[in-house]
Amino acid sequence: MRLKGKVAIITGGGGGIGRAAAVRFAQEGARIAISDIQSDSGEETVRMIQELGGEAFFTKTDVTSPEEIHYLIDRTAGTYGGLHILFNNAGIGHSEVKGTDLEEEEWDRVIDINLKGVWLGIKHAVPRLIESGGGSIINTSSLLGLKGQKYLSAYNASKGGVILLTQNAALEFGKFNIRVNAIAPGVIDTQIIDHWKNNEKKWPIISRANALGRIGTPEEVAQAVLFLASDEASFITGATLSVDGGGLTF
Ligand SMILES: NC(=O)c1ccc[n+]([C@@H]2O[C@H](COP(=O)([O-])OP(=O)(O)OC[C@H]3O[C@@H](n4cnc5c(N)ncnc54)[C@H](O)[C@@H]3O)[C@@H](O)[C@H]2O)c1
């Protein structure tokens, strides 16, 4: 078991990639706090883990709220006696319009969830990770954090920011045995891409725009997250791992 004895928090744990990672972490022996803004889907992830014989609980958390993030981290460390892994995964997309047409409110919301939410997670988790002797933080960026895409200005900016925030935190907290890495998924089969799937013109192009010519599954991303969370990645920090079927090279 690759995460035996470890305690993990997953934000956005009710969704595709977060849920797949939660299940994979549980299979490898971690005890997990699932958090999400949506209670039903978060509770469902907990049920899935319990059916596998794993240990988990749910805490409704909006990653833009410092109070809720602080509570989540305190409750987890209090319940399980420490904290070793934080998967900062919650995120949203936005209306596909030119940057000049994007509403300021939508820009703020995307930056708040996708970028500030990651920083808040790091800010409040680091003291607990230090108390536990170190640990691993994995932040969800995107292929679109590494290259620009028309009509996704706030998403591009937020996910690019996650990559440099990851490098910054790796530098600041490495001395406490805390590793901080990012993943950069390509097109992955979750609800966040439903609007593309329904676009008859775009979908045939988007769904094959990588070296492998197919989209990825949340489980394939979860394998990469598990690796970065585990001691197998003990000398990897500040890195961004692409899980995109070769989308960046395409
Ligand atoms: N699916 C893809 O193609 C893809 C590609 C690159 C990156 N990503 C990133 O992967 C991450 C997970 O997305 P997914 O594809 O699993 O989509 P998803 O929509 O299935 O999951 C996202 C989860 O985040 C939760 N969430 C949204 N706002 C929140 C908030 N304020 N606080 C807490 N939770 C919140 C949602 O309720 C949902 O459960 C996101 O950061 C997304 O940007 C996805």
Side-chain angles (χ1 to χ4, degrees):
M1 289 223 182
R2 293 155 76 186
L3 300 183
K4 196 167 170 48
K6 306 280 190 196
V7 175
I9 291 175
I10 299 182
T11 69
I17 293 170
R19 175 177 287 168
V23 167
R24 203 61 200 85
F25 280 15
Q27 288 167 336
E28 295 295 337
R31 287 172 294 165
I32 307 156
I34 304 295
S35 65
D36 203 288
I37 201 165
Q38 294 185 66
S39 299
D40 290 357
S41 55
E43 298 279 12
E44 176 59 23
T45 303
V46 169
R47 268 192 298 279
M48 289 168 73
I49 289 171
Q50 287 167 345
E51 276 166 23
L52 290 167
E55 263 186 78
F57 67 84
F58 174 73
T59 300
K60 188 171 192 286
T61 312
D62 181 338
V63 294
T64 67
S65 159
E67 294 78 20
E68 290 182 25
I69 287 279
H70 190 257
Y71 174 76
L72 165 70
I73 288 165
D74 257 21
R75 182 180 172 198
T76 307
T79 305
Y80 291 142
L83 178 66
H84 310 99
I85 298 160
L86 170 65
F87 182 25
N88 269 321
N89 165 75
I92 57 167
H94 62 82
S95 335
E96 290 188 47
V97 292
K98 284 197 286 267
T100 44
D101 294 335
L102 189 70
E103 294 295 337
E104 193 175 338
E105 249 177 39
E106 199 167 7
W107 168 275
D108 286 345
R109 181 91 186 124
V110 171
I111 300 292
D112 269 2
I113 295 174
N114 292 6
L115 182 55
K116 187 178 173 186
V118 171
W119 169 70
L120 282 173
I122 294 170
K123 178 179 166 70
H124 292 283
V126 161
R128 294 303 199 159
L129 293 170
I130 292 173
E131 281 169 16
S132 300
S136 172
I137 299 175
I138 305 100
N139 300 323
T140 304
S141 176
S142 169
L143 171 61
L144 302 184
L146 291 163
K147 70 174 185 182
Q149 169 115 346
K150 270 185 185 171
Y151 314 131
L152 283 173
S153 53
Y155 193 79
N156 269 160
S158 67
K159 295 298 187 178
V162 166
I163 289 174
L164 280 185
L165 179 59
T166 298
Q167 293 184 15
N168 163 274
L171 287 170
E172 290 184 359
F173 308 119
K175 60 176 176 282
F176 300 111
N177 193 31
I178 296 172
R179 295 181 298 103
V180 190
N181 292 290
I183 52 158
V187 182
I188 307 299
D189 196 2
T190 71
Q191 65 176 10
I192 216 172
I193 63 158
D194 278 351
H195 64 289
W196 278 341
K197 276 187 173 171
N198 299 328
N199 187 324
E200 281 177 24
K201 218 170 117 199
K202 275 193 178 171
W203 184 239
I205 300 164
I206 290 172
S207 61
R208 294 192 196 100
N210 61 43
L212 298 180
R214 66 170 177 86
I215 64 169
T217 65
E219 289 73 22
E220 288 176 306
V221 181
Q223 289 291 87
V225 179
L226 169 63
F227 168 66
L228 292 172
S230 77
D231 293 340
E232 289 158 30
S234 55
F235 201 52
I236 301 178
T237 194
T240 298
L241 179 55
S242 288
V243 192
D244 65 358
L248 186 60
T249 60
F250 195 68

